[in-house]
Amino acid sequence: MKKLITSLLIGVSALSGFARQGGMTHEWSGMINTGQHMNTSSITSDENGNIFLGTWNVKGNADLDLAATSNAVNFGTTNGSTVISYASDKSFRWAKSFTSESRISNVTIGQNGEVIVTGGFQGSLVSDGTTLLTGTAGKWNGFVVKLDKDGKYLDGIAFNSGNAAWIFGAEVDATSGDIYVTGYSTGTLDLDVKGANTSTITSTTNDGFTVKYNSSLEYQWASKNIGSGDIQNRTIAQDANYIFVGGNHKTGSLAVSKVGATTTDFNTEFSV
């Protein structure tokens, strides 16, 4: 049994590579120029040294290759997002771009080199002309997308509260492949996206939540941060015994509660 610890506080992209053997040595740099704007939100690497970059948004014609070869994606006037993978020598490996209105908040590596991507989108999440997920038009819908090690879409779930929902952080248990995500929402949100059971949270202002899914993105349990003010869960980490959740809490009281009757495999601890 793991313990859930929640800590809520009141209140153009460039990439560089460094070697750390014998000290920190700069090895290479690269820049992605879209002619408009692009913001990096997440960066991680796998056991082979491959790099995975997620963008909060990207607009315009983006050449995602840091070398001379062109691997351009034209997002036009839409604020889309993309996951890009580079080898340790900065050579381009692949990219998975979402050309609809979207934001990527986090990229993390799962079992067998799978890539877990989280964020938000409006209306539909579109890649290569194919609609992967659907939500409420004109509203932000959270998402979790699973890609294989080569960037191919495997699976995904959308979080649609009818108002606003975001997924910000994700962690993967290296042994079981279980996926922990955290975010926040306004409205009524069913966290058991694939299942027949309804595990909903309802709020009139932003409330934070943390959810455990198995490797197939099937619901296991959830917790909700309840308070009188605006609560936003932003990041998540884990060790062998604990799950740590961080974010911000605007004002007022705050408590952590379990969602639904099946949330019996964790205990809660809370700190501010």
Side-chain angles (χ1 to χ4, degrees):
M1 178 186 292
K2 289 191 177 184
K3 290 187 176 181
L4 175 69
I5 296 181
T6 302
S7 176
L8 298 176
L9 303 180
I10 297 177
V12 174
S13 293
L15 184 65
S16 296
F18 296 86
R20 60 183 179 181
Q21 293 85 356
M24 192 68 71
T25 304
H26 178 261
E27 290 197 340
W28 54 262
S29 295
M31 183 171 66
I32 302 169
N33 185 5
T34 72
Q36 295 197 44
H37 61 252
M38 177 176 178
N39 299 300
T40 300
S41 57
S42 180
I43 187 168
T44 190
S45 61
D46 64 15
E47 60 183 7
N48 299 313
N50 297 313
I51 302 162
F52 303 84
L53 181 73
T55 69
W56 178 248
N57 63 342
V58 55
K59 192 175 183 180
N61 191 32
D63 184 1
L64 306 178
D65 200 323
L66 301 177
T69 306
S70 176
N71 283 281
V73 178
N74 193 349
F75 294 86
T77 59
T78 300
N79 277 305
S81 57
T82 187
V83 184
I84 319 162
S85 180
Y86 301 100
S88 59
D89 63 356
K90 85 172 184 179
S91 58
F92 179 86
R93 297 181 67 239
W94 54 260
K96 187 65 171 179
S97 297
F98 307 123
T99 51
S100 53
E101 192 76 23
S102 57
R103 308 286 188 272
I104 290 174
S105 58
N106 188 75
V107 179
T108 191
I109 306 302
Q111 282 188 320
N112 305 314
E114 294 171 345
V115 182
I116 309 300
V117 187
T118 62
F121 68 95
Q122 291 191 3
S124 300
L125 187 66
V126 178
S127 180
D128 300 320
T130 299
T131 297
L132 305 178
L133 300 170
T134 58
T136 301
K139 303 291 185 179
W140 286 106
N141 308 269
F143 72 84
V144 178
V145 161
K146 183 193 293 188
L147 309 175
D148 72 8
K149 61 183 180 62
D150 298 314
K152 180 182 177 182
Y153 178 79
L154 296 175
D155 200 1
I157 51 178
F159 296 77
N160 179 6
S161 71
N163 196 322
W166 285 92
I167 304 296
F168 267 92
E171 275 282 301
V172 179
D173 188 300
T175 302
S176 65
D178 293 334
I179 301 169
Y180 302 89
V181 302
T182 196
Y184 59 90
S185 67
T186 304
T188 299
L189 180 64
D190 184 5
L191 300 172
D192 188 4
V193 181
K194 285 188 171 184
N197 297 322
T198 301
S199 297
T200 60
I201 57 174
T202 302
S203 57
T204 56
T205 59
N206 286 327
D207 277 348
F209 58 85
T210 301
V211 196
K212 177 184 177 181
Y213 297 96
N214 65 17
S215 59
S216 299
L217 294 176
E218 296 169 334
Y219 177 85
Q220 304 297 299
W221 56 252
S223 73
K224 177 185 177 182
N225 300 340
I226 304 170
S228 57
D230 188 57
I231 303 168
Q232 299 181 6
N233 289 12
R234 291 276 184 167
T235 186
I236 188 169
Q238 63 165 327
D239 63 15
N241 300 306
Y242 292 93
I243 302 162
F244 305 90
V245 177
N248 56 74
H249 170 218
K250 187 175 182 180
T251 185
S253 61
L254 183 64
V256 179
S257 68
K258 299 178 180 181
V259 176
T262 61
T263 56
T264 57
D265 61 344
F266 74 98
N267 293 324
T268 62
E269 292 186 10
F270 178 72
S271 64
V272 174

